[in-house]
Amino acid sequence: MKNKHIPMRMCTGCNEMKNKMDLIRIVKVNDGNKHSCLLIDKSFKKPGRGAYVCKNLECLKNVKKTKRLERLCSCKVPDDFYSEIKEVILLNE
């Protein structure tokens, strides 16, 4: 029996490689009018530039403090979006 490949992704908060399914995927989606928005991709299949964050509040604090998500996605990240990510993390604990 062949072992199934487990995709690994790097957390933007702690820079550790982890199983893709153990992370939260954040996607930058362009709507075609030079506007872009960030979404939490629970299906891991939405098209667009993706960034990953651990399901850990410390990693989220680090991402917010260093503005790493803003640099990766090249857009301003509103505070309410960080709150949305925090809610997802708290639901998974």
Side-chain angles (χ1 to χ4, degrees):
M1 188 170 174
K2 200 173 185 182
N3 289 342
K4 190 170 181 172
H5 172 73
I6 300 172
M8 303 293 280
R9 299 292 183 266
M10 184 182 291
C11 171
T12 58
C14 62
N15 293 329
E16 289 183 22
M17 295 295 285
K18 298 191 177 189
N19 182 339
K20 179 173 126 176
M21 295 304 181
D22 293 337
L23 300 169
I24 298 170
R25 183 170 189 246
I26 299 160
V27 182
K28 178 182 176 185
V29 180
N30 292 324
D31 64 3
N33 296 326
K34 294 185 179 179
H35 296 290
S36 61
C37 64
L38 296 174
L39 302 170
I40 296 174
D41 181 13
K42 295 179 181 174
S43 68
F44 292 92
K45 294 183 180 183
K46 291 188 183 193
R49 176 77 176 144
Y52 294 85
V53 179
C54 291
K55 295 176 182 174
N56 179 340
L57 290 176
E58 287 301 316
C59 285
L60 181 61
K61 286 179 188 176
N62 193 22
V63 168
K64 186 175 181 180
K65 179 181 165 188
T66 60
K67 298 187 179 186
R68 184 117 189 236
L69 193 57
E70 292 182 12
R71 284 184 278 138
L72 288 172
C73 296
S74 304
C75 65
K76 178 78 173 133
V77 179
D79 285 336
D80 60 333
F81 187 71
Y82 285 114
S83 299
E84 197 177 321
I85 298 169
K86 185 177 179 179
E87 288 176 25
V88 172
I89 291 170
L90 293 174
L91 284 174
N92 287 312
E93 285 186 338

